[in-house]
């Protein structure tokens, strides 16, 4: 079962290093939530995995379109890659909101996908290794291929996952959206097939 909290200890970034991967969900993480259809883009879903210290790891959900493609390039938005918070309080960190762009992912099929923060907070770190090894997003989306680490305000840390889909809700939501997409495509196809004879008849008359 694909879940970010199955990360191996050697693959987890910065402040979320683990000691016993098998007990991650109960000992190290406060919760896991999913943001769906970000900016209205179908299936552009992201996970937010919150560590017990309040920091949140963000990455692409298992059903994001990018994960079915081959990634050729990851370009972080200006200042995000050079962002270097200082000291214990990480002063100087860039503040981001839910729709703040973090990076652009380019695929070998010519498509480009923008990744957003998905939440409010201070951008502590982006995964710089993706610049040299972009396909980690596809091969290890829940570990080496994470996108960034964001710290919500202290007063908001307990609310960071509020309103997000739980893993079970996300599973149900994905199935519902997929079924709806199939229905929409079927209806569109039937509509187009009905319009073709009418258009042909108009031209001949």
């Amino acid at each position: 079962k694909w879940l970010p909290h199955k990360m191996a200890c050697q693959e987890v970034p910065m402040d979320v290093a683990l000691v016993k991967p098998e007990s991650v969900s109960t000992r190290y993480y406060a919760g896991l939530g999913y943001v769906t259809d970000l900016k209205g883009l179908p299936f552009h879903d992201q996970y937010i995995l919150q560590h017990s210290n309040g920091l949140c790891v963000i990455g692409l959900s298992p059903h994001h379109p990018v994960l079915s493609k081959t990634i050729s390039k990851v370009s972080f938005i200006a200042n995000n890659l050079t962002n270097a918070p200082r000291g214990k309080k990480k002063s100087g960190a860039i503040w981001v909101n839910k729709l703040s762009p973090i990076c652009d992912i380019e695929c070998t099929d010519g498509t480009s996908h923008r990744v957003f923060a998905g939440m409010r907070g201070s951008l502590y770190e982006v995964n710089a290794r993706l610049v040299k090894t972009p396909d980690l997003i596809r091969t290890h989306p829940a570990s080496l291929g994470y996108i960034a680490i964001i710290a919500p305000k202290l007063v908001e840390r307990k609310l960071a996952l509020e309103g997000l889909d739980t893993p079970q809700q996300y599973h149900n939501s994905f199935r519902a959206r997929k079924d709806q997409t199939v229905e929409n495509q079927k209806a569109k196809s039937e509509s187009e097939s009905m319009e073709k004879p009418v258009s042909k008849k108009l031209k001949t008359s």
Side-chain angles (χ1 to χ4, degrees):
K1 187 177 181 179
W2 191 100
L3 282 178
H5 64 242
K6 297 293 184 181
M7 296 177 177
C9 60
Q10 70 272 19
E11 297 178 332
V12 182
M14 206 171 84
D15 293 359
V16 291
L18 312 175
V19 178
K20 296 181 179 180
E22 68 276 8
S23 61
V24 169
S25 59
T26 56
R27 294 188 58 189
Y28 294 93
Y29 286 95
L32 167 67
Y34 291 90
V35 187
T36 60
D37 295 342
L38 267 168
K39 213 164 186 180
L41 300 172
F43 304 109
H44 280 60
D45 310 333
Q46 296 175 200
Y47 69 78
I48 297 178
L49 181 64
Q50 187 173 34
H51 188 270
S52 57
N53 64 11
L55 296 183
C56 295
V57 180
I58 67 168
L60 303 189
S61 76
H63 301 303
H64 195 289
V66 163
L67 301 193
S68 63
K69 304 179 180 184
T70 300
I71 300 170
S72 58
K73 183 180 181 181
V74 173
S75 302
F76 285 97
I77 305 304
N79 298 325
N80 286 348
L81 189 58
T82 56
N83 177 44
R86 302 177 300 279
K88 187 175 181 180
K89 294 185 178 181
K90 304 297 181 183
S91 61
I94 296 174
W95 178 260
V96 295
N97 292 302
K98 182 177 180 179
L99 296 181
S100 296
I102 300 298
C103 67
D104 289 315
I105 301 174
E106 296 178 22
C107 301
T108 55
D109 65 356
T111 60
S112 179
H113 304 262
R114 175 155 286 189
V115 178
F116 302 93
M119 61 176 291
R120 285 163 44 88
S122 298
L123 182 63
Y124 269 22
E125 175 186 305
V126 295
N127 189 359
R129 77 180 73 187
L130 298 180
V131 175
K132 290 186 177 181
T133 319
D135 211 40
L136 283 174
I137 291 178
R138 182 182 63 83
T139 58
H140 298 80
S143 53
L144 293 173
Y146 77 99
I147 301 297
I149 296 176
I150 297 174
K153 286 183 178 180
L154 186 61
V155 295
E156 297 180 356
R157 288 188 177 183
K158 291 184 178 180
L159 304 175
L161 303 180
E162 191 174 76
L164 303 187
D165 283 359
T166 64
Q168 185 58 54
Q169 288 172 335
Y170 178 66
H171 174 72
N172 295 339
S173 167
F174 171 73
R175 292 186 61 179
R177 286 180 292 150
K178 185 177 180 181
D179 290 345
Q180 186 61 55
T181 299
V182 172
E183 286 296 319
N184 291 342
Q185 291 175 340
K186 183 179 178 181
K188 181 180 179 181
S189 178
E190 291 176 349
S191 176
E192 290 177 346
S193 64
M194 292 177 64
E195 290 176 358
K196 286 180 180 179
V198 174
S199 298
K200 187 176 181 180
K201 187 177 180 180
L202 289 173
K203 288 181 180 179
T204 56
S205 61

